[in-house]
């Protein structure tokens, strides 16, 4: 187990599109374990591989009592609109209201490589979408007007 360094805004890996994972093996699980340790030390509610310098398509979530890894996640439906305050471990001390679909269904492979599907609302929904954005090289500040971003 290891606590990994978190890349901050300006690091190019945060702008890369993470690539699909072909096999869920022990090496990937060891990396996910390190991601959990890193997220817990940093007191985050989610973490994407880009944030620790990897372009594997995996993110983890610990929000609203749900703790899980999402490998190759994809949103299969999104409805409604809701605004919530977001922060990001890669953009310390910056918080802003972000409007996103309120309810999403997401399909992914879990820690054991099994196909899973989750319906998320509230903070969990924002977290899932925030992490999938990271895997696409997108940061929450991209949704802000230039005035708010500055
Ligand atoms: O710690 C985090 N808080 C948070 C709050 C609202 C919506 C998303 C998040 S995720 C963030 C941790 C992080 O940077 N994950 O990528
Ligand atoms: Ni983030």
């Amino acid at each position: 187990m290891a606590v990994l360094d978190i890349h901050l805004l300006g690091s190019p890996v945060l702008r890369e599109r993470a690539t699909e994972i072909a096999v869920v093996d022990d090496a990937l699980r060891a990396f996910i374990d390190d991601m959990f340790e890193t997220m817990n030390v940093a007191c985050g509610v989610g973490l994407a591989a880009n944030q620790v310098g990897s372009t594997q398509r995996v993110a983890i979530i610990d929000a609203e009592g749900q703790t899980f890894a999402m490998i190759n996640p994809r949103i299969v439906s999104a409805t409604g609109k809701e605004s919530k305050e977001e922060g990001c471990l890669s953009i310390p001390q910056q918080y802003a209201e972000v409007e996103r679909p309120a309810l999403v269904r997401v399909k992914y492979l879990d820690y054991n490589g099994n196909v899973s599907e989750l319906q998320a609302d509230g903070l969990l929904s924002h977290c899932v979408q925030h992490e999938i954005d990271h895997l696409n090289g997108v940061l929450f500040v991209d949704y802000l007007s230039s005035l708010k971003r500055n």
Side-chain angles (χ1 to χ4, degrees), residues 46-66:
L47 187 72
N50 310 50
Q51 293 180 277
V52 291
S54 165
T55 55
Q56 301 186 86
R57 206 162 183 81
V58 56
I60 59 172
I61 302 271
D62 183 7
E64 302 199 315
Q66 304 225 54

Side-chain angles (χ1 to χ4, degrees), residues 44-47 51 85-89 123 127 130-131 134:
V45 296
L47 187 72
Q51 293 180 277
E85 186 170 77
E86 294 193 18
C88 182
L89 294 172
L123 177 65
C127 283
H130 177 117
E131 300 315 334
H134 272 301

Side-chain angles (χ1 to χ4, degrees), residues 1 23-36 56 71 110-114:
M1 294 277 276
V23 282
V24 179
D25 58 12
D26 286 346
L28 178 64
R29 279 186 283 271
F31 175 62
I32 293 170
D33 292 346
D34 288 345
M35 287 179 68
F36 272 111
Q56 301 186 86
I71 297 157
D110 70 11
Y111 187 85
N112 296 119
N114 296 316

